[in-house]
C-alpha cells in the first residue's frame, strides 16, 4: 500500500465532525509516541495540547510554550498513532496577530508534523482567522469557555458560564466559530446548562473538558486521567494510578541497585567463546606445509 493510501486510513477532520449526533467522540491529549500508540486504539482523535508545557516541561502556565516545542511533540505523536486524527495546539503568540501570521505558523505545523488539524483558543475574536485557515486547507478545532492562554487576563483557571449573565457572550463565541468553519469546538470548564445549550445550538461537535456529559465528546489530559499528575482539577476522574506504580517501581529499582541484587546474571553479557582467529589458522597451515615431506619427483 502506498504511503498516500495508508494516510487515508487515518481519521480526518470531517470524520470527527460527522460523529455529531451519531456516537460520543473519545479523545485524550498525547505528547509522545509510546502513549500515542496505546491511546490510538481507543481514541478518535489525539490532541497534542499546549498543556504539555505544564505537564512535560514544568511551566506554571501554557503561555511560555513555543511553536518548536509543539512541532517536536506533534511529530512524535503522529509517528506513534496510526488511526486517530492528530490535532496540534497553536501556542500562545503564534496565531492571534493576524490571519496571515496564523496561516504561516499553522502551515508550518501541518507540514513539519503531518498532523491532520490545528486547535486555537478564542471565540468571536478568532472568527476571521478560522475562516482564513479553513479556506486555505487547514482544518481548525476551536476552543472556548476557559481559555488557559488568557490566564493572565482572566486571573486564574476559573470555570465559565456559572452565571447566566455570561451566557450570551459564550453562546456567541460558539456560533461564530461554527459559522467560520471550525470542524469542532472544545468547551473547557463550563457550567453544564450552558454546555448543553451550546451543544444543541451548533452543528459541529462540542468536546467537553469539565463541561459535563451533555457535550458530543470528551477530552482529558492523559497524565491527569492516568493518575500521574500531582494535582488535578475537579472535573478529572483518575482512571489509573500510574504515579503510584512509577513510585513503587523506582523505589524497588533503587533498593536492588543499593543491595547489588540488580543486575542479575541474566541481565549481564558474558564473553563470547573464543574462536580460533584467522591469523592463527593461517600460521598453523604454513607450519604444516613447511613440514610436508617432498614427494615423488626425480
Ligand atoms: O492543551 C490542552 O491540553 C487542551 C485541552 C485542555 C483541551 O487544550
Amino acid at each position: 500500500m502506498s504511503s498516500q493510501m495508508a494516510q487515508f486510513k487515518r481519521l480526518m477532520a470531517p470524520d470527527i465532525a460527522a460523529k455529531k449526533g451519531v456516537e460520543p467522540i473519545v479523545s485524550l491529549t498525547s505528547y509522545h509516541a509510546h502513549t500515542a500508540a496505546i491511546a490510538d486504539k481507543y481514541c478518535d482523535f489525539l490532541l497534542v495540547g499546549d498543556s504539555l508545557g505544564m505537564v512535560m516541561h514544568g511551566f506554571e502556565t501554557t503561555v511560555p510554550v513555543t511553536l518548536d516545542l509543539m512541532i517536536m511533540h506533534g511529530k512524535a505523536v503522529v509517528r506513534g498513532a496510526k488511526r486517530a486524527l492528530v490535532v496540534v495546539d497553536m501556542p500562545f503568540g503564534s496565531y492571534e496577530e493576524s490571519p496571515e501570521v496564523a496561516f504561516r505558523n499553522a502551515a508550518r505545523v501541518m507540514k513539519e508534523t503531518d498532523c491532520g488539524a490545528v486547535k486555537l483558543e478564542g471565540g468571536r475574536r478568532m472568527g476571521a482567522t478560522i475562516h482564513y485557515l479553513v479556506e486555505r486547507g487547514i482544518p481548525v478545532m476551536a476552543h472556548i469557555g476557559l481559555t488557559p492562554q488568557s490566564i493572565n487576563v482572566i486571573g486564574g483557571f476559573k470555570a465559565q458560564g456559572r452565571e447566566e449573565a455570561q451566557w450570551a457572550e459564550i453562546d456567541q463565541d460558539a456560533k461564530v466559530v461554527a459559522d467560520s468553519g471550525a470542524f469542532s469546538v472544545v468547551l473547557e470548564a463550563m457550567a453544564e446548562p450552558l454546555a448543553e445549550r451550546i451543544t444543541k445550538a451548533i452543528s459541529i461537535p462540542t468536546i467537553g473538558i469539565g463541561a459535563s456529559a451533555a457535550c458530543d465528546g470528551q477530552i482529558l489530559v492523559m497524565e491527569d486521567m492516568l493518575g500521574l499528575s500531582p494535582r488535578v482539577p475537579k472535573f478529572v476522574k483518575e482512571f489509573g494510578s500510574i504515579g503510584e506504580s512509577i513510585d513503587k517501581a523506582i523505589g524497588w529499582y533503587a533498593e536492588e541497585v543499593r543491595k547489588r541484587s540488580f543486575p542479575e546474571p541474566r541481565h549481564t553479557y558474558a564473553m563470547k567463546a573464543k574462536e580460533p582467529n584467522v591469523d592463527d589458522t593461517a600460521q598453523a597451515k604454513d607450519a604444516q606445509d613447511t613440514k610436508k615431506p617432498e614427494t615423488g619427483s626425480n
Side-chain angles (χ1 to χ4, degrees):
M1 189 186 298
S2 77
S3 64
Q4 205 176 11
M5 279 167 74
Q7 171 73 10
F8 285 101
K9 286 178 68 187
R10 203 188 268 282
L11 292 177
M12 301 175 94
D15 300 317
I16 303 299
K19 289 183 187 288
K20 187 171 177 101
V22 177
E23 59 179 12
I25 297 165
V26 182
S27 62
L28 283 172
T29 63
S30 180
Y31 315 132
H32 69 18
H34 289 177
T35 48
I38 298 172
D40 189 46
K41 291 192 273 180
Y42 306 101
C43 291
D44 299 309
F45 76 86
L46 297 176
L47 171 68
V48 186
D50 62 353
S51 52
L52 64 82
M54 299 166 77
V55 177
M56 303 284 291
H57 296 273
F59 297 132
E60 285 196 359
T61 71
T62 57
V63 172
V65 174
T66 63
L67 202 59
D68 287 341
L69 207 52
M70 294 309 302
I71 289 173
M72 185 178 82
H73 288 279
K75 283 180 183 172
V77 172
V78 170
R79 281 187 217 114
K82 301 285 173 257
R83 186 193 141 272
L85 169 71
V86 178
V87 181
V88 176
D89 244 343
M90 297 298 293
F92 177 68
S94 69
Y95 62 95
E96 301 88 333
E97 192 178 336
S98 68
E100 289 81 1
V101 168
F103 179 79
R104 197 169 313 125
N105 287 327
R108 196 182 146 210
V109 168
M110 302 278 295
K111 273 174 183 287
E112 293 187 27
T113 68
D114 208 15
C115 69
V118 299
K119 176 167 84 57
L120 48 80
E121 294 184 8
R124 285 154 292 159
R125 66 187 167 88
M126 293 317 301
T129 297
I130 293 171
H131 181 73
Y132 192 90
L133 296 186
V134 175
E135 284 283 292
R136 286 160 181 77
I138 300 185
V140 178
M141 177 176 284
H143 182 156
I144 63 171
L146 173 62
T147 47
Q149 292 176 9
S150 305
I151 188 78
N152 292 305
V153 173
I154 303 168
F157 293 100
K158 295 178 187 156
Q160 306 291 300
R162 298 186 75 190
E163 289 162 34
E164 262 190 70
Q166 299 174 328
W167 285 15
E169 288 194 346
I170 306 175
D171 275 344
Q172 203 49 31
D173 283 339
K175 185 174 175 344
V176 168
V177 298
D179 290 350
S180 303
F183 71 92
S184 65
V185 56
V186 169
L187 308 184
E188 179 163 356
M190 191 179 282
E192 178 166 20
L194 177 59
E196 185 173 8
R197 174 186 155 97
I198 289 175
T199 301
K200 286 186 179 148
I202 61 177
S203 59
I204 58 171
T206 57
I207 311 295
I209 174 160
S212 87
C215 296
D216 295 304
Q218 298 293 326
I219 188 163
L220 283 175
V221 168
M222 192 189 292
E223 283 72 3
D224 289 353
M225 58 77 73
L226 289 177
L228 187 55
S229 303
R231 282 183 316 280
V232 291
K234 166 193 165 68
F235 56 74
V236 172
K237 174 170 172 177
E238 293 182 331
F239 289 84
S241 49
I242 298 298
E244 263 174 53
S245 304
I246 293 178
D247 194 302
K248 226 171 165 178
I250 296 178
W252 182 19
Y253 163 74
E255 192 185 313
E256 293 211 355
V257 170
R258 292 201 172 100
K259 284 195 316 208
R260 294 195 188 281
S261 58
F262 173 82
E264 298 163 40
R266 67 196 166 109
H267 308 120
T268 305
Y269 294 105
M271 291 293 286
K272 276 187 178 170
K274 195 167 187 312
E275 283 169 15
N277 90 27
V278 182
D279 289 349
D280 292 350
T281 321
Q283 271 174 17
K285 189 168 179 298
D286 283 352
Q288 223 170 17
D289 288 350
T290 349
K291 272 195 230 149
K292 256 189 204 160
E294 297 204 356
T295 50
S297 65
N298 26 0

